[in-house]
């Protein structure tokens, strides 16, 4: 779960592993204070999410708004059969908070309310980011992949 | 066939597929342990006089950290199994209570019907030998 | 069945393995089994002895209702329920229901209640199974205008245990009667349909 969230967010496996290791080392120190399996899961998601954003900022990557999110660097291949990989790339091109929200929603199957708690954001903001991200992803799919049937 | 870009459900399904959980790379757990060792050493330096000094041996330190991690993993698995069994047991209990309530409600229905009939019926007349008496 | 129960339980399926059904004394004809596809709500509970005992471990001794339930189920061998609720009347066949009733007009079974009501169409039959003058099982067949329910409780169930639960589950305090096939009450207006 931890590595997966980090990898989908950072798209770089070595960085994702380093981040995941940091999270587990911190978990080991914090474990006595956690009361249940659900608490552990919540803690892991929260810490991983915040570390992802911190890591991103430390790398000093430019922040863009949702409306300015660029297309993936690789050229569009209308015949590219790997829809999943393209979608991963599209998600990775989202700004950090919407990206994290999409990952928590569709990898972890979390409800907007739970995502809001993990990220310490208002639920309305989460829902708004989610809605706009989906619209943007849909637009990117159309623009770069044409009509995609599955 | 429905287009992914027009059908919101398909886009969401595709996202779930694209973002499904990935396993950590091979050797991830060992690398975490390896990073944990220097931290264990720093803590043990501070507690030199305590019984933890036994862990000053590198091999024992490594074993101790590994043992703790294994215990955490096993404990976590045990805890998870316990939670699952409890949830299944609660669900079965709810089924049982539901079945008993249904049985009870139908018995209650029967009782009500019997009471209705008994209160609406006239008192039976004493039997006599008259040919007009009801059979 | 309360509205809340109906709303909470649109369809519950628990342990439908054929082996378990052998303990069940009630055989439902194919026409009844197919009612699930027509019903607005279906409740199906199949709990054999081991399952009952396991479930009863989770009954709370601090809850009066659950405490009595634990006592009731302690020696039971099975509880089986099929209940169908329909949107409209006339969804099931009277002949199918009669086929089920006929199974219990046999030695060992006594019909202790048989109510036929032409006024609202509700028919209820309660059959006791007696072995060595003790209750060994109960079958309840409730055929209402928009609801059809079959209950089979298998096991050495003391009638006074049912009586003790009067009011808790809505189970009436039935008086124990001498072994007899005479119904306690029956409408004189004849069988419905």
């Amino acid at each position: 779960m931890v590595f997966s969230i980090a990898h989908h967010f950072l798209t770089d496996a070595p960085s994702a592993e380093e981040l995941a290791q940091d999270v587990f080392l911190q978990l080991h120190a914090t474990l006595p204070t956690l009361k249940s399996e659900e608490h552990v899961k919540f803690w892991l998601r929260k810490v991983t999410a915040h570390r992802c954003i911190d890591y991103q900022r430390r790398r000093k990557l430019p922040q863009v708004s949702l409306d300015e999110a660029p297309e993936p660097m690789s050229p569009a291949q209308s015949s590219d059969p790997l829809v999943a990989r393209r979608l991963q790339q599209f998600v990775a091109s989202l700004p950090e908070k919407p990206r994290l929200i999409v990952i928590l929603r569709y990898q972890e199957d979390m409800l907007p309310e739970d995502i809001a708690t993990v990220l310490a954001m208002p639920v309305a903001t989460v829902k708004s980011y989610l809605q706009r991200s989906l619209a943007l992803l849909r637009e990117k799919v159309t623009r770069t992949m044409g009509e995609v049937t599955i | 066939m429905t287009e992914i870009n027009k059908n919101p459900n398909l886009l969401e399904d595709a996202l779930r597929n694209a973002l499904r959980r990935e396993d950590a790379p091979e050797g991830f757990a060992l690398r975490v342990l390896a990073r944990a060792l220097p931290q264990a050493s720093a803590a043990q330096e501070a507690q030199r006089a305590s019984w933890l000094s036994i862990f000053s041996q590198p091999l024992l330190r490594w074993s101790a950290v590994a043992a703790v991690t294994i215990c955490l993993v096993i404990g976590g698995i045990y805890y998870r199994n316990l939670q699952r069994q409890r949830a299944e047991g609660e669900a079965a209990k709810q089924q049982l209570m539901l079945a008993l309530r249904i049985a009870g409600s139908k018995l209650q229905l029967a009782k009500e019907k019997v009471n209705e009939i008994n209160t609406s019926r006239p008192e039976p007349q004493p039997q006599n030998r008259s040919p007009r008496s009801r059979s | 069945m309360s509205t809340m129960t109906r709303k909470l339980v649109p369809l519950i399926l628990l342990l439908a393995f054929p082996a378990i059904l052998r303990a069940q004394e009630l055989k439902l004809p194919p026409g009844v089994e197919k009612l699930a596809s027509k019903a607005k709500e279906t409740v199906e509970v199949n709990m054999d002895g081991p399952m009952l005992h396991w479930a009863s471990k989770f009954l709370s001794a601090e809850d009066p209702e659950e405490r009595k339930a634990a006592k009731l189920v302690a020696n039971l061998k099975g509880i089986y329920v099929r209940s169908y609720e329909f949107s409209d009347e006339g969804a099931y066949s009277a002949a199918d229901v009669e086929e089920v009733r006929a199974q219990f007009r046999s030695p060992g079974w006594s019909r202790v209640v048989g109510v036929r009501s032409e006024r609202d169409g509700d028919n209820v039959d309660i059959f006791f199974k007696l072995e060595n003058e003790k209750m060994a099982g109960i079958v309840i067949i409730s055929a209402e205008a928009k609801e059809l329910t079959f209950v089979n409780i298998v096991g050495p169930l003391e009638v006074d245990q049912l009586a003790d639960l009067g009011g808790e589950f809505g189970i009436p305090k039935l008086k124990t009667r001498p072994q007899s096939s005479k119904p306690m009450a029956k409408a004189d207006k004849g069988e419905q349909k």
Side-chain angles (χ1 to χ4, degrees):
Chain A
M1 173 179 77
V2 171
F3 172 81
S4 190
I5 292 173
H7 192 211
H8 283 137
F9 186 86
L10 299 170
T11 67
D12 173 47
S15 302
E17 182 174 337
E18 185 188 338
L19 190 152
Q21 287 180 12
D22 290 343
V23 171
F24 278 111
L25 287 171
Q26 191 179 344
L27 171 68
H28 189 226
T30 315
L31 199 60
T33 65
L34 301 176
K35 297 193 172 38
S36 67
E37 188 187 337
E38 279 308 309
H39 197 181
V40 170
K41 211 189 287 186
F42 170 80
W43 186 95
L44 282 171
R45 283 170 175 160
K46 182 175 156 189
V47 170
T48 306
H50 288 291
R51 278 187 178 263
C52 282
I53 293 177
D54 289 344
Y55 196 96
Q56 175 95 12
R57 288 177 184 170
R58 267 190 278 124
R59 291 203 300 189
K60 291 186 171 49
L61 293 175
Q63 298 298 305
V64 297
S65 72
L66 202 56
D67 303 313
E68 296 165 348
E71 303 296 342
M73 293 303 288
S74 56
Q77 298 284 340
S78 59
S79 60
D80 188 345
L82 299 176
V83 174
R85 192 167 72 180
R86 298 298 280 177
L87 274 175
Q88 286 170 3
Q89 290 171 342
F90 292 150
V91 169
S93 69
L94 294 172
E96 58 185 33
K97 283 189 180 166
R99 190 189 327 162
L100 206 39
I101 288 169
V102 168
I103 291 170
L104 290 175
R105 177 76 188 94
Y106 295 106
Q107 177 189 301
E108 295 299 303
D109 211 21
M110 289 171 70
L111 294 173
E113 291 77 13
D114 297 330
I115 296 172
T117 308
V118 162
L119 299 180
M121 285 168 108
V123 179
T125 307
V126 169
K127 288 181 177 175
S128 170
Y129 271 139
L130 205 50
Q131 200 175 8
R132 290 166 66 197
S133 300
L134 286 176
L136 188 62
L137 289 170
R138 198 170 293 119
E139 193 191 335
K140 283 172 183 280
V141 167
T142 309
R143 202 157 55 228
T144 60
M145 298 170 74
E147 299 287 318
V148 179
T149 53
I150 58 169
Chain B
M1 289 286 223
T2 314
E3 291 110 359
I4 188 176
N5 48 320
K6 287 184 183 169
N7 187 330
N9 290 336
L10 280 181
L11 175 60
E12 291 190 291
D13 288 344
L15 279 168
R16 281 192 189 94
N17 181 52
L19 296 176
R20 65 181 177 278
R21 280 190 189 171
E22 303 168 1
D23 291 332
E26 205 173 315
F28 174 76
L30 282 174
R31 289 192 284 278
V32 173
L33 284 174
R35 281 184 62 183
L37 281 175
Q39 292 182 16
S41 299
Q44 284 141 24
E45 284 300 318
Q47 296 183 38
R48 191 187 299 251
S50 76
W51 63 274
L52 286 173
S53 62
I54 195 171
F55 295 112
S56 62
Q57 302 290 327
L59 184 60
L60 281 172
R61 262 209 307 272
W62 177 276
S63 303
V65 172
V68 166
T69 308
I70 290 167
C71 286
L72 285 171
V73 169
I74 291 172
I77 292 169
Y78 175 76
Y79 185 81
R80 245 193 320 277
N81 283 345
L82 201 62
Q83 291 296 92
R84 189 176 57 242
Q85 279 180 15
R86 176 162 288 280
E88 287 169 358
E90 284 297 322
K93 182 189 87 173
Q94 294 303 326
Q95 306 307 308
L96 172 59
M97 296 304 291
L98 174 66
L100 289 173
R101 287 190 188 110
I102 291 174
S105 74
K106 296 311 168 191
L107 286 171
Q108 185 69 27
L109 176 67
K111 181 192 173 192
E112 285 167 13
K113 294 292 170 190
V114 166
N115 287 341
E116 263 176 42
I117 290 163
N118 285 338
T119 52
S120 64
R121 255 186 180 177
E123 287 294 325
Q125 298 297 320
Q127 288 192 357
N128 56 43
R129 292 185 185 278
S130 166
R132 285 186 184 178
S133 64
R134 285 175 64 183
S135 55
Chain C
M1 206 180 342
S2 71
T3 307
M4 183 179 284
T5 306
R6 289 205 198 98
K7 282 182 180 168
L8 289 174
V9 186
L11 178 65
I12 297 173
L13 186 65
L14 184 68
L15 289 179
F17 303 115
I20 287 160
L21 293 176
R22 268 187 245 124
Q24 182 181 309
E25 292 156 324
L26 190 147
K27 307 278 183 295
L28 293 179
V32 170
E33 294 280 16
K34 286 178 191 165
L35 288 174
S37 58
K38 291 165 68 174
K40 177 171 79 170
E41 285 181 16
T42 301
V43 174
E44 182 174 342
V45 179
N46 300 313
M47 299 188 89
D48 65 346
M51 187 67 175
L52 270 178
H53 295 139
W54 180 65
S56 65
K57 286 181 190 169
F58 295 89
L59 292 168
S60 166
E62 286 158 16
D63 181 303
E65 194 186 40
E66 292 187 16
R67 200 165 51 236
K68 291 193 178 181
K71 207 170 155 192
L72 183 68
V73 305
N75 297 313
L76 291 185
K77 292 177 184 169
I79 295 180
Y80 308 94
V81 174
R82 291 282 198 289
S83 184
Y84 307 97
E85 190 186 346
F86 307 100
S87 305
D88 302 304
E89 295 182 18
Y92 60 87
S93 148
D96 280 338
V97 180
E98 185 52 37
E99 190 179 330
V100 179
R101 284 193 199 109
Q103 294 172 28
F104 304 101
R105 293 189 191 114
S106 59
W109 288 94
S110 297
R111 187 170 80 153
V112 294
V113 172
V115 180
R116 301 286 175 267
S117 173
E118 284 189 359
R119 181 172 60 81
D120 54 18
D122 293 348
N123 300 338
V124 185
D125 294 90
I126 301 175
F127 301 88
F128 283 179
K129 184 175 185 179
L130 296 172
E131 284 176 2
N132 303 320
E133 297 184 3
K134 284 192 173 177
M135 169 85 89
I138 181 171
V139 164
I140 306 167
I141 302 173
S142 171
E144 300 159 71
K146 292 185 185 178
E147 191 173 327
L148 180 62
T149 301
F150 303 94
V151 177
N152 180 197
I153 300 177
V154 182
L157 181 66
E158 295 286 340
V159 177
D160 56 1
Q161 284 185 356
L162 285 175
D164 283 346
L165 289 165
E168 298 294 336
F169 297 123
I171 298 177
K173 291 186 187 292
L174 298 173
K175 288 183 185 172
T176 13
R177 292 168 54 80
Q179 190 170 355
S180 167
S181 60
K182 188 178 177 184
M184 284 171 64
K186 187 174 178 181
D188 282 337
K189 295 185 179 178
E191 296 282 336
Q192 185 183 1
K193 289 189 183 178

